[in-house]
Amino acid sequence: MTYCVGLKLNAGLVLLSDTRTNAGLDNISTYRKMFFFENPGERVIVIMTAGSLSVTQTTLARLNEAIEHPDADEQNSIMHASSMLRVATIIGENLNRTRRDIAEQCRDLNQQASASMIVAGQRKGGDMRLFLIYPEGNFIEATDDTPFLQVGEHKYGKPILDRVVTPETSLADAQKAVLLSMDSTLRSNLSVGMPLDLAVIERDDFRVSQRRRIMDGDPAFMAMSAAWSTALRDSFVKVTI
Amino acid sequence: MTYCVGLKLNAGLVLLSDTRTNAGLDNISTYRKMFFFENPGERVIVIMTAGSLSVTQTTLARLNEAIEHPDADEQNSIMHASSMLRVATIIGENLNRTRRDIAEQCRDLNQQASASMIVAGQRKGGDMRLFLIYPEGNFIEATDDTPFLQVGEHKYGKPILDRVVTPETSLADAQKAVLLSMDSTLRSNLSVGMPLDLAVIERDDFRVSQRRRIMDGDPAFMAMSAAWSTALRDSFVKVTI
């Protein structure tokens, strides 16, 4: 499985993904699930992926091919699209087509191959936007009422987000929130694993403002995780029923 | 859906279930999911249920019928069984048979009807035991390494249990832990709802030592929930990355 989470805040977009991929429990690999598409100063798009690796890799290959193709245009290239809505639509179309192609290939095996994606970004002249794209290519968008979107193993890490994230949350607090959300998921579910990819896109920066890979054993992440455990245990002692 | 959780501690068994049942999102009802079987001083058994209401109700009706039948014996009645292992086996057999019967009835509709159960208890001369019974009737048992079992919407409430519950946890702390685990689930998932049923079985008491229904708006539960939210937010502010 996977855990990816995206936050859309007044100050910018904060994105976090894990890297664990598995085909059965005995075949575990590390694959990046966060992909950057950038024309610094003009547009920035980040895609995070969950689901079948063959579906997500092929979809991304097709998106890249369309960008580099001599006929690349507003209709097929996310780097030429005139709005983030068009970007989400192109990604949805590619995801759905790839998913159908692979499902057709797998038909005899009665196997499912599916994937979903989180797409975040901003282009000059437009607002920041954050979408969750379903396997069928349709999508939903984060709003002020629901400023975060998740794909993969989303349940373990949802309570902390429900409690602390609002559109007013600062970018620093938002990074802490997604890392704590991931920390709860890592502790409770083996199918989500280190290293992590963290990215921040500040409003109207039109580039990936910060990106960081957090490796297993990262001292700052371990310290935060330990401090959070201690704080939770202390809180547990204090609360009465 | 449902959320039920059982803890097996050195000091006793702690059990908590919600009461929300739904057939689609527009048909929501309240049904007890915790059932007591008691011969005080000799044996106590608590069953918590998750899944299709028709499967769980029919299974419980069959268990009760077997207990009250003139031919009730060690082979078919959980009140006559000579061990908690036999109790779990009888419940598993009944659950599997009921599930198959209903699946056969539903076959034309291509609908699934399934259920799982948590079974906790102790009889005089035996140890306390806590089982999770799968729809097929097989089961697993809580151990010192994994002193809790959950059915239904288990993911939201697992991180807090992973962090604070050990066999040494006191019965008071254990009640707090399951209530906080339920609180996280209630906040993040509409298919789990108040009121709650809480039960405590002290070691070698051979009866339900405490039972309590916690209604929506219960002042103590609301105060605990609010205090936990405040403590979490305070902890969030304190933790740094």
Side-chain angles (χ1 to χ4, degrees), chain A residues 153-156 158-160 162-164 172-173 175-177 179-180 183-184 187-189 212 220-221 224-225 227-229 231-233 235-241, chain B residues 153-156 158-160 162-164 172-173 175-177 179-180 183-184 187-189 212 220-221 224-225 227-229 231-233 235-241:
Chain A
E153 282 289 353
H154 63 281
K155 295 186 181 183
Y156 305 101
K158 188 164 182 280
I160 180 69
D162 279 334
R163 280 194 165 92
V164 305
D173 278 355
Q175 291 177 72
K176 198 160 69 172
L179 288 168
L180 291 174
D183 184 54
S184 292
R187 275 173 186 266
S188 293
N189 194 305
R212 188 173 146 211
F221 184 71
M224 182 205 72
S225 176
W228 182 242
S229 275
L232 280 187
R233 290 204 190 90
S235 301
F236 181 78
V237 172
K238 270 182 234 149
V239 169
T240 54
I241 177 79
Chain B
E153 282 287 354
H154 63 282
K155 295 186 180 183
Y156 305 101
K158 187 164 182 283
I160 180 70
D162 280 335
R163 280 194 164 92
V164 305
D173 278 355
Q175 291 178 70
K176 197 158 71 172
L179 287 168
L180 292 174
D183 184 54
S184 292
R187 274 172 187 267
S188 292
N189 194 305
R212 189 171 145 212
F221 185 72
M224 183 207 71
S225 176
W228 181 242
S229 274
L232 279 186
R233 289 203 190 92
S235 301
F236 182 78
V237 172
K238 271 181 231 150
V239 170
T240 55
I241 178 79

Side-chain angles (χ1 to χ4, degrees), chain A residues 24-195:
Chain A
L25 270 175
D26 55 352
N27 189 354
I28 292 175
S29 313
T30 299
Y31 281 94
R32 170 175 280 277
K33 299 173 189 172
M34 183 184 287
F35 302 91
F36 302 108
F37 298 84
E38 222 179 347
N39 180 2
E42 191 275 325
R43 81 176 58 203
V44 56
I45 301 161
V46 180
I47 302 178
M48 294 191 289
T49 63
S52 165
L53 190 61
S54 69
V55 174
T56 60
Q57 285 189 339
T58 305
T59 304
L60 283 158
R62 286 172 170 180
L63 290 172
N64 276 310
E65 207 170 55
I67 291 167
E68 289 156 18
H69 197 277
D71 297 338
D73 66 14
E74 140 85 9
Q75 290 307 308
N76 56 34
S77 159
I78 61 173
M79 293 306 282
H80 296 75
S82 59
S83 69
M84 279 302 299
L85 185 70
R86 184 69 209 142
V87 167
T89 304
I90 293 171
I91 295 171
E93 286 168 356
N94 275 274
L95 174 58
N96 187 35
R97 185 160 56 89
T98 305
R99 185 188 57 77
R100 281 170 186 250
D101 290 350
I102 293 177
E104 177 65 24
Q105 290 173 307
C106 296
R107 204 181 40 178
D108 295 347
L109 298 172
N110 202 19
Q111 280 192 346
Q112 294 291 321
S114 188
S116 50
M117 298 186 172
I118 288 177
V119 176
Q122 188 179 15
R123 56 173 287 287
K124 204 158 189 169
D127 284 339
M128 296 183 304
R129 297 179 81 165
L130 176 67
F131 298 97
L132 190 166
I133 307 198
Y134 293 111
E136 294 75 19
N138 55 334
F139 47 80
I140 59 170
E141 184 170 4
T143 63
D144 281 356
D145 286 331
T146 304
F148 64 88
L149 294 173
Q150 306 167 287
V151 290
E153 282 289 353
H154 63 281
K155 295 186 181 183
Y156 305 101
K158 188 164 182 280
I160 180 69
L161 301 177
D162 279 334
R163 280 194 165 92
V164 305
V165 176
T166 71
E168 290 73 36
T169 302
S170 71
L171 292 177
D173 278 355
Q175 291 177 72
K176 198 160 69 172
V178 294
L179 288 168
L180 291 174
S181 174
M182 180 65 81
D183 184 54
S184 292
T185 311
L186 290 167
R187 275 173 186 266
S188 293
N189 194 305
L190 268 187
S191 74
V192 177
M194 304 283 283

